[in-house]
Amino acid sequence: MNIRKAAAAALVAALGVTTLAACGTDDVREAAGETDQPMPKTVTLVSHDSFNASKEVLAEFTKQTGLTVKVLKSGDAGEAVNKEILTKGSPQGDVFFGVDNTLLSRALDNGIFVPYEAQGLDRIPAELQLDKEQHRVTPIDSGDICVNYDKQYFADKKLAPPQTFDDLAKPAYKDLLVTENPERSSPGLGFLLGTAAKYGDEGWQDYWKKLKANGVKTVDSWELAYNQEFSGSAGGKKAKGDRPLVVSYASSPPVEVLYAEPQPKVAPTGVSTGTCFRQTEFAGLLNGAKNPEGGKKLIDFLISKKFQDDMPLQMFVNPVTKDATLPELFTKHGVVIEKPETMAPKKIADNRDQWIQQWTSLVLK
Amino acid sequence: MVLPVVFFAVFFAWPVVSIVERGLRPDGRWELGRFGETLSRPEILDVLWFTLWQALASTALTLLVALPGAYVFARFDFPGKRVLRAVVTVPFVLPTVMVGTAFLALVGRRGLLDDWWGLRLDTGVWAILLAHVFFNYAVVVRTVGGLWSQLDPRQEEAARVLGASRWRAWRTVTLPALGPSVAAAALMVFLFTASSFGIVQILGGPAYSTLETEIYRQTADRLQLSTAAVLTMVQFVAVGAILTVHARVVRRRETALRLVPAERTARRPQGAGQWALLGGVLLSVALLILAPLGVLVERSLATSDGYGLDYYRALGQVDEGGTFLVPLTDTIVNSLQYALAATGIAVVIGGLAAAALTRRAGRLVRGFDALLMLPLGVSAVTVGFGFLITLDEPPLDLRASWILVPLAQALVGVPFVVRTMLPVLRAVDERLREAAAVLGASPWRAWREVDLPLVRRALLIAAGFAFAVSLGEFGATVFIARPDNPTLPVAVARLLGRPGELNYGQAMALSTILMVVCAVSLLLLERLRSDRTSGEF
């Protein structure tokens, strides 16, 4: 019997501790529905690990609305979306930012968002608004996934850098390209989708056979590809990376300049403009949000000029609103991709898993 | 008994069952046909096969390297033995992310060996196997060495006097006594390597996948809950089987061996052969364990302009990029707070469970014993996702609460507590308790006056282990830690995921700090080690 008594005592103690802990934090009380304020003071933004915003800008939102933004980073882009799908109806926050066009259909079909037409939507080009009928999601930023090249390498070799998908499969560029596993990494997936958009549902596999024969190397993550294998980045130079071509972003060269000491006059890397795939990221109001009113205000804020101007140097993406100003770093060292490859979210959703599987058996095995 | 059962039901069984059910009963009907369909897919069979053979190879390699080590630690006295014993245990409680990082820094591109001799294992099977040896060396040394140091050498001497050759004396006297503990250690190593996640993820590259990484991929990347559920069940059955065998082996081990205090069996090595053995073992420890740990330290000090403490200084500043909303030094405080809370929970739950297990024998209790071990072998991602979907209703909406992290860590700590406490509690003479009861002590008081003084030491050791395990726990924490209070291992993983030299350096500096904290707490444990604890770790 003694054990039972001890257990009871311990249980009481443990419960006591938990309750005390619960009383100490507001969010738990809110979660338990014990809010006595009419309007919660915080709004929670769930996002992927790459989300960044400067403190001043978040403080500005608090000044305008009286709400504090709590950011909850929930893994990489795919993982974060999947967690929201799993917890549908009882989400971890109010707004989700960071679902891109490659995952959009999955998120919409699973009904994790509720419609909300943001204030100021008219400043965003119509072709980016991929859910125009219902406005379950709002476009926030866009970027292009493109092959980057190491300028120094091609200058030394007196070889013109490749500019198109076709070029990458030419013998002149044998054993030079490193890409990412599309299952684990969004640039890897974007590059695969770019080839599928360019060569069609049947043709992309032949193209990848050529790439494989031409010595393409695959690693698991963008970090490894860009900072270890690629010879053009600061990290790759240190790591003695020996691949002068890497699948990265159109915004990578400006970033390379930004983090260099001292900053060079021209970027050490360039972009192969004919190898790009357009990625757009969206935010949406979560189904079952505890603070939907605050969530709506936050979405309005994400497309305000203030946030859009701040975003490029925080997340290295392009703003979507027409009135945003690009920082000088981008205008000086970045390129504008005129004709990126694109693909409808529905088509991506229908084919993505199958393509990844085909790609895996074709390239990795 | 009640509290541990409730704890496990709520924080382990319920989340895991829910997530499995989500996969196998999508529309309210069980779809058991998914088993056959999933298990006949060639890529899944590849995963199972790779999991099995790498675990077998890792186990064999670990035994090969660690058994001489166990002998040396058991039988020889040499200066610095205590420190070294603590040091070889450090890898076991380091987060796998760091183990992976340390190995990449050693054998990977621009690794130390690459700089010196152009030797580059890069990623692949060999790197995985070596990291597994590094990780599990301590398991063998502690399990086998612990017993070996208490075997009475006079038994073997008696056999020699009676005319047996040295080899025969060892084979007929020592080996049968050691056999079960070697088997137990091998099973444990097999369990850890078969369910290894971080190491395979980092060192394996895209081409290698084990059951654990596949469950992660199917759940987090593909949302194929049915496949993940089938794999989870496979893992569950396999782990259950391993644990059953393990329990049998351990019970056999509890047969009466004449044990003597370890101090009486260890002596200074004599003769060239023994010195050579000692030297060999020390060399293997230096290469396999000290080198990767040393690399972390070296990298944390190597700035772009010579050696210095720049990275450590940078930890104290809030980084403007905003990945962390707090200075990184706060992560150390966070980690320690979580670890304290987790230790408290694990000691209460584990202590009660161990007490319950000593009192009663029988099938049910033995089943419960194995149940407590299950969290060691069940995928953290399953538990993490299970938390997300089950603990979301008031009064148990803990998803945004800090208590979730220590709870998840305590799950992993409890088995260690039980394993450490049980042998000691079983050794307490029942008659002492009865005598106290006869003299009118309440059961609670009898426990306090009789058991507690005898087990206090074991309790401290158990707490220390729970603490160290919690400090290093990464798998479950990464799902539930929040950016405003990340733990140390989570912060390291995030830093490593960002470009730039400063981030890499800070990750190394944090790893070094964690390593030192672990080593110090283990060293304190070494001081506490009572000669009666033939605990299993």
Side-chain angles (χ1 to χ4, degrees):
Chain A
M1 289 317 292
N2 52 351
I3 296 298
R4 218 167 279 172
K5 260 193 206 161
L11 186 62
V12 170
L15 285 175
V17 170
T18 336
T19 345
L20 279 177
C23 295
T25 55
D26 286 344
D27 21 306
V28 178
R29 286 183 43 208
E30 268 164 39
E34 298 173 273
T35 45
D36 35 20
Q37 315 107 327
M39 171 109 176
K41 284 202 169 37
T42 57
V43 56
T44 307
L45 175 72
V46 187
S47 183
H48 49 59
D49 289 341
S50 318
F51 176 85
N52 268 332
S54 65
K55 276 211 170 68
E56 297 76 46
V57 166
L58 290 180
E60 177 67 24
F61 176 73
T62 308
K63 209 168 82 188
Q64 286 174 14
T65 60
L67 293 163
T68 320
V69 183
K70 247 186 22 191
V71 181
L72 186 67
K73 297 187 187 185
S74 171
D76 62 43
E79 191 182 309
V81 171
N82 288 342
K83 278 186 191 169
E84 287 316 309
I85 292 173
L86 275 177
T87 58
K88 187 179 107 185
S90 124
Q92 304 187 80
D94 305 307
V95 173
F96 184 86
F97 162 81
V99 56
D100 69 2
N101 47 328
T102 65
L103 294 159
L104 185 61
S105 279
R106 182 190 285 177
L108 293 179
D109 294 347
N110 278 290
I112 61 174
F113 296 122
V114 289
Y116 170 63
E117 194 167 346
Q119 303 288 317
L121 208 55
D122 50 320
R123 295 157 31 247
I124 297 173
E127 67 265 20
L128 290 179
Q129 299 182 32
L130 295 180
D131 191 38
K132 267 202 290 287
E133 289 73 39
Q134 300 190 48
H135 297 296
R136 287 166 295 180
V137 289
T138 308
I140 307 292
D141 67 70
S142 78
D144 293 296
I145 291 159
C146 313
V147 170
N148 282 206
Y149 57 84
D150 174 0
K151 284 181 180 169
Q152 184 72 45
Y153 174 92
F154 290 101
D156 291 350
K157 284 267 188 284
K158 300 202 170 38
L159 180 67
Q163 287 302 344
T164 61
F165 284 118
D166 283 348
D167 287 351
L168 296 174
K170 288 180 181 158
Y173 306 111
K174 194 168 169 47
D175 296 347
L176 302 188
L177 173 66
V178 59
T179 181
E180 301 88 3
N181 180 353
E183 181 151 56
R184 291 272 173 83
S185 134
S186 46
L189 178 64
F191 186 65
L192 170 62
L193 293 173
T195 60
K198 166 94 180 156
Y199 297 103
D201 297 8
E202 300 307 315
W204 70 264
Q205 297 205 42
D206 290 336
Y207 174 74
W208 275 95
K209 280 186 195 133
K210 285 190 211 149
L211 271 192
K212 194 180 175 180
N214 213 24
V216 65
K217 179 171 185 175
T218 308
V219 292
D220 240 355
S221 65
W222 175 87
E223 289 81 17
L224 277 175
Y226 192 82
N227 287 320
Q228 297 269 332
E229 303 284 345
F230 179 47
S231 59
S233 67
K237 280 195 174 49
K238 265 194 118 144
K240 305 195 192 88
D242 50 11
R243 296 252 160 181
L245 297 171
V246 65
V247 172
S248 186
Y249 296 89
S251 59
S252 301
V255 180
E256 214 38 67
V257 174
L258 178 67
Y259 281 116
E261 282 284 334
Q263 289 200 356
K265 295 244 180 329
V266 281
T269 56
V271 174
S272 309
T273 49
T275 61
C276 298
F277 181 79
R278 174 66 48 93
Q279 199 181 16
T280 309
E281 285 194 297
F282 301 85
L285 191 59
L286 284 164
N287 181 357
K290 296 201 175 63
N291 182 2
E293 289 315 306
K296 288 173 183 173
K297 289 193 174 124
L298 183 59
I299 292 177
D300 295 346
F301 183 74
L302 291 179
I303 57 169
S304 69
K305 183 161 166 52
K306 191 107 196 155
F307 187 87
Q308 291 278 319
D309 284 353
D310 176 62
M311 203 170 51
L313 287 181
Q314 296 295 333
M315 292 191 263
F316 313 115
V317 288
N318 293 316
V320 289
T321 53
K322 295 167 188 161
D323 57 351
T325 9
L326 267 182
E328 191 199 1
L329 189 79
F330 274 60
T331 49
K332 214 162 118 185
H333 300 287
V335 283
V336 176
I337 307 299
E338 300 292 350
K339 288 210 191 73
E341 299 293 341
T342 55
M343 195 179 281
K346 171 128 183 51
K347 184 170 179 182
I348 297 175
D350 290 345
N351 293 298
R352 160 203 187 113
D353 290 349
Q354 183 195 348
W355 283 348
I356 288 178
Q357 210 139 40
Q358 286 165 335
W359 181 94
T360 305
S361 43
L362 191 79
V363 179
L364 293 184
K365 297 288 179 257
Chain B
M1 188 85 184
V2 176
L3 185 64
V5 169
V6 168
F7 177 83
F8 265 74
V10 173
F11 295 113
F12 181 69
W14 184 36
V16 172
V17 168
S18 303
I19 192 99
V20 167
E21 186 189 27
R22 192 69 79 96
L24 292 178
R25 207 172 66 166
D27 338 313
R29 276 181 320 147
W30 288 100
E31 297 189 359
L32 298 179
R34 307 250 176 170
F35 273 90
E37 172 210 343
T38 305
L39 295 177
S40 59
R41 298 216 304 258
E43 72 268 19
I44 297 291
L45 290 176
D46 278 354
V47 167
L48 293 177
W49 170 237
F50 179 70
T51 306
L52 187 67
W53 86 252
Q54 69 81 19
L56 285 172
S58 300
T59 309
L61 202 61
T62 307
L63 287 177
L64 192 75
V65 176
L67 280 177
Y71 177 76
V72 164
F73 275 104
R75 285 286 191 239
F76 292 159
D77 248 339
F78 50 91
K81 178 171 158 179
R82 212 170 233 185
V83 176
L84 203 61
R85 201 201 310 254
V87 167
V88 300
T89 315
V90 167
F92 186 70
V93 292
L94 278 188
T96 47
V97 182
M98 290 183 202
V99 176
T101 313
F103 267 79
L104 270 186
L106 189 68
V107 300
R109 176 184 282 283
R110 78 165 167 178
L112 218 57
L113 301 181
D114 193 10
D115 285 352
W116 291 352
W117 304 300
L119 182 71
R120 200 193 281 172
L121 284 173
D122 228 353
T123 52
V125 179
W126 275 106
I128 294 176
L129 294 186
L130 281 179
H132 280 163
V133 174
F134 167 83
F135 204 63
N136 292 302
Y137 189 90
V139 177
V140 178
V141 167
R142 285 186 173 258
T143 318
V144 181
L147 183 71
W148 211 334
S149 64
Q150 296 178 46
L151 283 184
D152 196 337
R154 283 172 308 188
Q155 292 177 322
E156 211 177 300
E157 283 156 18
R160 296 288 311 278
V161 170
L162 294 172
S165 67
R166 178 179 290 235
W167 162 242
R168 183 155 174 218
W170 188 82
R171 207 188 46 182
T172 50
V173 177
T174 311
L175 190 62
L178 279 181
S181 76
V182 173
L187 280 167
M188 268 299 145
V189 175
F190 183 84
L191 184 71
F192 290 136
T193 53
S195 62
S196 137
F197 173 71
I199 288 177
V200 179
Q201 190 89 317
I202 292 176
L203 296 176
Y208 298 100
S209 180
T210 59
L211 197 53
E212 188 92 2
T213 55
E214 193 64 23
I215 290 175
Y216 177 81
R217 182 185 299 184
Q218 296 288 357
T219 313
D221 297 344
R222 294 191 182 175
L223 208 63
Q224 293 290 337
L225 292 183
S226 65
T227 309
V230 170
L231 293 177
T232 304
M233 294 304 288
V234 169
Q235 195 182 29
F236 220 81
V237 172
V239 170
I242 293 172
L243 288 175
T244 314
V245 176
H246 184 260
R248 290 239 166 103
V249 167
V250 170
R251 264 212 306 289
R252 282 216 345 246
R253 206 181 68 172
E254 285 172 359
T255 48
L257 288 169
R258 285 197 38 217
L259 297 182
V260 293
E263 290 80 54
R264 281 180 31 203
T265 63
R267 52 179 94 144
R268 293 196 73 86
Q270 293 151 339
Q274 295 196 340
W275 279 106
L277 179 65
L278 176 63
V281 165
L282 291 181
L283 187 71
S284 72
V285 166
L287 282 178
L288 254 173
I289 292 178
L290 298 182
L293 295 177
V295 164
L296 282 181
V297 181
E298 191 267 338
R299 293 276 142 132
S300 74
L301 296 168
T303 62
S304 43
D305 40 4
Y307 287 97
L309 291 173
D310 302 16
Y311 296 139
Y312 289 86
R313 269 196 288 277
L315 293 178
Q317 291 143 15
V318 177
D319 133 66
E320 276 312 305
T323 300
F324 304 104
L325 306 168
V326 292
L328 285 168
T329 36
D330 284 13
T331 62
I332 301 166
V333 180
N334 278 334
S335 275
L336 291 174
Q337 283 171 338
Y338 283 145
L340 279 176
T343 306
I345 300 170
V347 166
V348 170
I349 303 281
L352 286 172
L357 289 172
T358 16
R359 293 306 165 81
R360 300 176 205 154
R363 196 153 288 200
L364 187 77
V365 170
R366 280 216 296 273
F368 180 59
D369 187 12
L371 194 75
L372 288 175
M373 298 288 283
L374 274 178
L376 286 181
V378 171
S379 156
V381 68
T382 308
V383 178
F385 272 93
F387 272 5
L388 279 182
I389 63 168
T390 49
L391 304 179
D392 61 347
E393 300 283 327
L396 267 182
D397 188 358
L398 298 176
R399 289 176 315 172
S401 161
W402 66 272
I403 193 81
L404 201 53
V405 176
L407 280 172
Q409 294 174 341
L411 271 181
V412 189
V414 166
F416 288 90
V417 175
V418 174
R419 287 282 142 261
T420 321
M421 300 281 297
L422 208 49
V424 183
L425 279 173
R426 283 198 176 138
V428 175
D429 197 332
E430 188 59 37
R431 282 169 306 183
L432 284 173
R433 297 185 189 116
E434 285 160 6
V438 168
L439 294 173
S442 67
W444 171 240
R445 176 143 183 227
W447 188 84
R448 210 182 53 212
E449 303 280 355
V450 176
D451 292 47
L452 194 61
L454 291 168
V455 301
R456 190 177 297 145
R457 229 170 176 187
L459 200 65
L460 277 170
I461 290 179
F465 254 116
F467 190 78
V469 166
S470 152
L471 270 184
E473 207 286 327
F474 171 74
T477 315
V478 77
F479 285 94
I480 45 194
R482 295 148 54 188
D484 48 359
N485 50 7
T487 65
L488 222 149
V490 171
V492 170
R494 289 210 185 132
L495 283 169
L496 286 172
R498 299 172 63 196
E501 197 190 327
L502 185 63
N503 288 321
Y504 182 79
Q506 288 187 325
M508 293 294 155
L510 270 183
S511 301
T512 307
I513 291 173
L514 182 76
M515 196 167 79
V516 171
V517 172
C518 285
V520 168
S521 52
L522 285 164
L523 204 58
L524 292 175
L525 288 187
E526 272 308 312
R527 297 207 161 278
L528 285 171
R529 259 171 69 100
S530 65
D531 31 43
R532 289 299 307 272
T533 43
S534 51
E536 277 149 55
F537 290 109

